[in-house]
Amino acid sequence: MPKFACPSCGADVVFQSAQSVYAVCVYCQSMVVRTDVDVKAIGKMAALPDDMSPLQLGTGGVYEGLDFTIIGRLKIGWRDGLWNEWHMLLSDGRRGWIGEAQGSFSVSFELEEPLPRDVMASLERCLPQLVGNRESAEEVAPGFPVVLNGQSLRAVDIKQATCLGSEGELPFAAPKGRRTIAIDCVGPDGGFATIEHDAHEARAYLGRYVEWDSFRFSNLRPLEGW
């Protein structure tokens, strides 16, 4: 695993995934970006708001027969609450996300193919909301169909989400205050998708909801009652 000295405090910053580009130093909370041969600091990450999640960096588990380890986290807030997105590294080298919200859990993977034009158009009509210009944002109502990777889904919610903090390894920079427009979609048999745009890049994530027991988690954070 590549290891670098933190540019701010000199502590070791270890990248478990060869695909991780960003990481937060566990000692000084500097966000560092990995280049071809070194790392550089790009800002200071604020302390994450405390919560009662039993998951933590280093938690292990099983998904579809493959072992995984949690290597990063995003704490996300929106108008009606908070949720966690845990960045996981699977034993076959793939990276995914475990969404944790109000006691429910999901697993999703980033879609590699370009987003369909109609989906991009819906996102772009909402983008003025990210800079507070709601008058310029066209009204986009949920309910429209979305087809991603051959799956037929339906948009059920459109919201603005804000990063409240991050830790560990991440595939993109997620400083406190990073905002996105997100379209949540649902499909048959527990399938779902989230499509987001941060005013620079659009991403889509396909996944499904997963029961707690099927993860067979290990190395959980000690919490009373768990």
Side-chain angles (χ1 to χ4, degrees), residues 25 27 55 90 113 118 154 159-160 166:
C25 175
Y27 294 96
L55 307 183
L90 286 88
E113 65 186 44
D118 58 338
R154 180 173 56 88
K159 60 178 176 285
Q160 180 178 290
S166 58

Side-chain angles (χ1 to χ4, degrees), residues 31 44-45 162-166 170 172-179:
M31 177 165 276
K44 204 80 166 179
M45 180 58 61
T162 303
C163 179
L164 304 179
S166 58
L170 300 168
F172 50 80
K176 182 178 180 180
R178 174 183 181 265
R179 296 193 297 171

Side-chain angles (χ1 to χ4, degrees), residues 85-137:
E85 292 287 349
W86 297 95
H87 188 207
M88 66 175 183
L89 176 64
L90 286 88
S91 58
D92 63 357
R94 289 183 300 151
R95 297 171 303 159
W97 295 90
I98 298 175
E100 177 192 18
Q102 299 178 337
S104 65
F105 295 84
S106 62
V107 171
S108 63
F109 297 88
E110 185 174 355
L111 185 68
E112 296 182 358
E113 65 186 44
L115 292 180
R117 290 182 180 179
D118 58 338
V119 175
M120 281 298 302
S122 296
L123 280 169
E124 289 167 357
R125 290 201 299 271
C126 299
L127 284 182
Q129 296 182 32
L130 291 181
V131 294
N133 191 357
R134 292 185 177 273
E135 293 182 358
S136 298

Side-chain angles (χ1 to χ4, degrees), residues 169-187:
E169 295 177 42
L170 300 168
F172 50 80
K176 182 178 180 180
R178 174 183 181 265
R179 296 193 297 171
T180 61
I181 288 293
I183 300 176
D184 293 330
C185 309
V186 297

Side-chain angles (χ1 to χ4, degrees), residues 15-210:
F15 288 84
Q16 298 182 66
S17 170
Q19 297 174 307
S20 294
V21 179
Y22 297 89
V24 178
C25 175
V26 298
Y27 294 96
C28 71
Q29 282 69 58
S30 290
M31 177 165 276
V32 300
V33 57
R34 184 171 66 177
T35 64
D36 290 339
V37 295
D38 207 347
V39 294
K40 63 179 181 179
I42 59 172
K44 204 80 166 179
M45 180 58 61
L48 280 168
D50 195 21
D51 61 23
M52 294 300 291
S53 174
L55 307 183
Q56 63 181 345
L57 298 186
T59 290
V62 177
Y63 178 70
E64 293 188 341
L66 294 173
D67 294 334
F68 67 80
T69 303
I70 289 176
I71 61 173
R73 171 167 67 147
L74 301 178
K75 186 78 171 179
I76 308 294
W78 69 299
R79 182 187 59 198
D80 293 334
L82 310 171
W83 80 89
N84 288 310
E85 292 287 349
W86 297 95
H87 188 207
M88 66 175 183
L89 176 64
L90 286 88
S91 58
D92 63 357
R94 289 183 300 151
R95 297 171 303 159
W97 295 90
I98 298 175
E100 177 192 18
Q102 299 178 337
S104 65
F105 295 84
S106 62
V107 171
S108 63
F109 297 88
E110 185 174 355
L111 185 68
E112 296 182 358
E113 65 186 44
L115 292 180
R117 290 182 180 179
D118 58 338
V119 175
M120 281 298 302
S122 296
L123 280 169
E124 289 167 357
R125 290 201 299 271
C126 299
L127 284 182
Q129 296 182 32
L130 291 181
V131 294
N133 191 357
R134 292 185 177 273
E135 293 182 358
S136 298
E138 297 183 40
E139 186 66 27
V140 181
F144 55 89
V146 174
V147 178
L148 294 172
N149 199 32
Q151 296 187 39
S152 297
L153 307 108
R154 180 173 56 88
V156 294
D157 187 35
I158 301 173
K159 60 178 176 285
Q160 180 178 290
T162 303
C163 179
L164 304 179
S166 58
E167 62 179 334
E169 295 177 42
L170 300 168
F172 50 80
K176 182 178 180 180
R178 174 183 181 265
R179 296 193 297 171
T180 61
I181 288 293
I183 300 176
D184 293 330
C185 309
V186 297
D189 303 321
F192 76 93
T194 297
I195 308 157
E196 67 172 30
H197 205 311
D198 64 0
H200 301 287
E201 188 176 3
R203 297 182 176 89
Y205 302 87
L206 281 170
R208 63 181 180 87
Y209 292 97
V210 180

